[in-house]
Structures are given as structure tokens and as C-alpha cells.
Amino acid sequence: MNQKINIIGICPETLLFQSSYVPLISFKDEEQKKAAEDYITGEAKKFFDILLPDQEVKPLAYPMLITELDFQKIDMRYFYENLFYDLERKPDGKLEAKIKWGITFDEKCAPINLGYLSPKYDGYEPKIKYTSSDGRPYRRYGTIDINGNAIFYYIYFTLQEILDEIKQLPNS
């Protein structure tokens, strides 16, 4: 009964994950990887089209993501190298951070649920919906803020929704 079942691997050191709490997700081939990434970036675009329609946002590489536990021990260089490397000055002299985003599978990183309130809402019965007309959930998310301004967005995904996307491929 001491056989290894090899279900879960560990992150190779060459990927240099910043966090011990970010899982490594792997797919069988490049087509599945591309489908998963296309799905994630498409959903992120929809999310930001609703939340920040006129703002440019950039993804942060998955291995560079951190969780709330990492804040207790992360070196401050992390923030300068990953979130503030592209600061710009506005005409009024204030610094402006470029907003970044990354995915998370950790619900604790995404405590906010982006819902939909019908334009016909009359103010009496709460009719907030947390699923779209096609049944997909509106996004849970969380932020890293500086002076009350979000500089980074965690966008929550479930492994199931990514698997559902992969299963739609013709050779799956």
C-alpha cells in the first residue's frame, strides 16, 4: 500500500514561484494551455470592461502572485519589482501606478463579489444577481490598495470552470 500515485507534483525551482500557496496548474498539451489562457484573459477583459471600462490593466505573471499569508514575510522589493516598476508621473506631479491583475484560486484573496443590479430595480426588493444570463458567475475579486486606490486585482477562478472550458475542445 506504499505505492506512489503521482497525482500532485511540486513546482520545479526553475519557475521561481513567489508564494508557497499558489498552485501549479498543468495541461496535457499546448492547445489545452492556450484554451485555458484564452478563457482566463477573455473573462478578465469582461470583468474590467464592467469595473474599469476606460482603464488599461496588465496581467501579472502567475508565478509572481502572492497570497495574504505572503504579506507577512515578503520583501518590499517584491512590490517595486512587480507592481511599481512602471510608475508614471501625472501632469499634476502625482505618481500613478499602472493597474495590474492576476488570477487566484484562493477565495480569501477575493472577498468581493461583483454582482449585477437590474436597471429596473426599484429600490425595494434586493434583486442582485450573481450569475449572468448564460449561468456563469460574475467575478469574485480582491485588491491590493495603496492610499485607498486599487493597484492590483485578484480575479477569482475555479478549477472547474477552467476544466469545463478545456472539455469543450474537440480532442478532449
Side-chain angles (χ1 to χ4, degrees):
M1 199 55 150
N2 273 341
Q3 294 177 317
K4 288 188 176 185
I5 55 177
N6 281 338
I7 293 174
I8 299 172
I10 58 171
C11 171
E13 289 182 22
T14 56
L15 289 179
L16 298 176
F17 272 63
Q18 291 291 314
S19 175
S20 299
Y21 311 105
V22 174
L24 174 63
I25 308 298
S26 182
F27 295 100
K28 181 180 175 184
D29 56 39
E30 189 64 33
E31 182 183 22
Q32 290 178 338
K33 177 185 180 296
K34 182 174 177 352
E37 288 177 348
D38 288 350
Y39 173 73
I40 289 167
T41 55
E43 290 295 305
K45 180 179 179 345
K46 290 178 200 174
F47 173 83
F48 287 113
D49 283 349
I50 294 168
L51 195 64
L52 303 170
D54 298 322
Q55 192 122 18
E56 181 185 349
V57 293
K58 296 179 182 179
L60 182 63
Y62 187 70
M64 296 296 106
L65 297 176
I66 60 175
T67 70
E68 85 282 357
L69 291 176
D70 298 307
F71 279 94
Q72 300 168 9
K73 59 184 177 194
I74 197 98
D75 186 318
M76 286 304 291
R77 286 186 312 195
Y78 169 85
F79 295 98
Y80 292 104
E81 292 171 357
N82 294 289
L83 300 178
F84 301 133
Y85 67 88
D86 57 353
L87 285 173
E88 290 184 2
R89 284 213 185 270
K90 293 196 245 178
D92 63 5
K94 292 182 181 179
L95 287 175
E96 177 180 42
K98 301 291 183 182
I99 296 174
K100 308 210 178 28
W101 66 273
I103 72 169
T104 185
F105 297 102
D106 186 348
E107 290 181 358
K108 289 184 179 179
C109 289
I112 305 164
N113 202 353
L114 182 62
Y116 170 77
L117 190 59
S118 169
K120 297 177 184 178
Y121 176 64
D122 62 7
Y124 293 103
E125 285 187 44
K127 296 282 185 183
I128 297 173
K129 296 181 181 179
Y130 291 102
T131 56
S132 61
S133 58
D134 65 356
R136 294 198 178 198
Y138 283 99
R139 290 283 152 216
R140 288 178 60 127
Y141 70 99
T143 61
I144 297 175
D145 297 358
I146 300 277
N147 292 332
N149 296 316
I151 59 161
F152 181 82
Y153 285 83
Y154 288 101
I155 303 175
Y156 178 74
F157 285 85
T158 65
L159 188 53
Q160 186 61 54
E161 70 182 295
I162 294 170
L163 289 173
D164 288 346
E165 199 64 25
I166 300 298
K167 289 176 185 178
Q168 293 179 29
L169 292 173
N171 296 329
S172 292

